[in-house]
Amino acid sequence: MRELVFALEYEPGRNRVADALADHPGARVRSLSLHATDDHLWRVDHATGTAAALAAVEAAFTDGDYYADCLATEDCGATQTTRVLDRDGDTLVLYTDWEPTPVCASVPHIARDHLGDGVLFETRHEGRHYTWRLIHSGEGDVAAFFDALRAAVGDAARTELLRTANASATDESGGDGGAPGLSPEQEAALSAAVEHGYYESPRAVDAGELAAHLDVPRSTLTYRLRRAEERLAKAHVDGDRPTEAASASFD
């Protein structure tokens, strides 16, 4: 099995969810479940944030121009239903059922065309940065998938490949730095974050400024920090080095 991680960085006004999250820093949406057939898509998403942020996210999902990840640049005439499954304080769980039309396109449907059946999807959306993690058989054509994805996205978003490897492989280069199981890239990101006050309260530097300092895209920086934080947290709780299985977790 192969792991493929990439990010879409949406331009303002090109994705309602991205706009809502950009207006409410700290809010985020992650998928709990995502399934697609040739003519259908179902997903359950878990959103966290302030009451105002969750109201904006809910409106973005339920408005007709979102269409559950449709990449079409104009109204594609799809049929979508979004329902609130749970709302509790700073969390919101949404269920979406989407039936596309022939002019629609989405990441899961493009993946089915080029990577085959049985692809597993996980997503995380923070600000304008929408990160996808795909687990696939490795028998498809990844280059053709990205060509089709970039064509469908057009100028609405920038596409960035973050990782492609065996699903059980360790993060990035799997280096043996001083921190438990961190690659050199993750350790550099974490060290810079501490040095420049990223973890201070309030923060002395935001993710965009820190990424500019390291001369990497913002989505690359946040991906490396999330993976480093995950591994350190699990190592602390387990009292041991993270296992390979833990390193494959997206969230």
Side-chain angles (χ1 to χ4, degrees):
M1 300 297 289
R2 296 285 294 176
E3 176 188 32
L4 175 62
V5 184
F6 64 92
L8 301 176
E9 183 176 354
Y10 277 97
E11 296 294 331
R14 306 305 293 268
N15 180 287
R16 286 289 305 276
V17 176
D19 290 341
L21 293 172
D23 289 340
H24 298 276
R28 66 184 185 186
V29 180
R30 62 183 177 90
S31 59
L32 298 180
S33 181
L34 200 167
H35 304 279
T37 63
D38 287 339
D39 56 3
H40 233 83
L41 183 148
W42 302 267
R43 62 181 298 157
V44 178
D45 291 279
H46 180 273
T48 58
T50 64
L54 296 183
V57 168
E58 180 181 350
F61 268 83
T62 55
D63 280 358
D65 63 353
Y66 177 60
Y67 290 134
D69 290 318
C70 184
L71 300 174
T73 56
E74 299 179 356
D75 188 341
C76 61
T79 300
Q80 173 175 314
T81 302
T82 297
R83 299 195 298 270
V84 175
L85 296 183
D86 188 35
R87 182 189 283 108
D88 181 16
D90 60 354
T91 65
L92 178 69
V93 180
L94 297 164
Y95 167 81
T96 299
D97 176 11
W98 180 54
E99 185 176 352
T101 64
V103 299
C104 294
S106 72
V107 170
H109 289 100
I110 295 172
R112 283 176 56 85
D113 289 341
H114 297 284
L115 303 180
D117 294 330
V119 181
L120 301 179
F121 305 94
E122 292 179 301
T123 68
R124 180 188 291 265
H125 208 159
E126 298 172 279
R128 302 196 183 282
H129 305 274
Y130 194 8
T131 305
W132 286 76
R133 179 176 182 249
L134 279 57
I135 302 295
H136 61 102
S137 67
E139 297 178 356
D141 190 335
V142 173
F145 164 76
F146 269 105
D147 287 344
L149 177 63
R150 291 189 178 102
V153 171
D155 61 358
R158 181 170 61 86
T159 305
E160 180 188 358
L161 176 64
L162 297 176
R163 172 176 167 81
T164 179
N166 290 329
S168 61
T170 55
D171 286 5
E172 292 180 308
S173 63
D176 57 356
L182 299 187
S183 71
E185 293 86 354
Q186 291 169 353
E187 195 162 355
L190 201 60
S191 296
V194 172
E195 177 184 352
H196 291 277
Y198 179 76
Y199 291 111
E200 299 296 326
S201 183
R203 285 178 172 168
V205 64
D206 63 24
E209 293 167 332
L210 186 59
H213 171 76
L214 292 171
D215 195 25
V216 299
R218 184 184 186 278
S219 51
T220 297
L221 172 70
T222 56
Y223 175 73
R224 289 174 177 172
L225 287 176
R226 282 200 304 268
R227 298 303 294 267
E229 292 160 2
E230 174 193 13
R231 292 180 70 94
L232 290 173
K234 289 181 177 178
H236 174 76
V237 171
D238 295 341
D240 199 355
R241 294 176 65 89
T243 64
E244 286 191 354
S247 73
S249 172
F250 178 72
D251 186 48

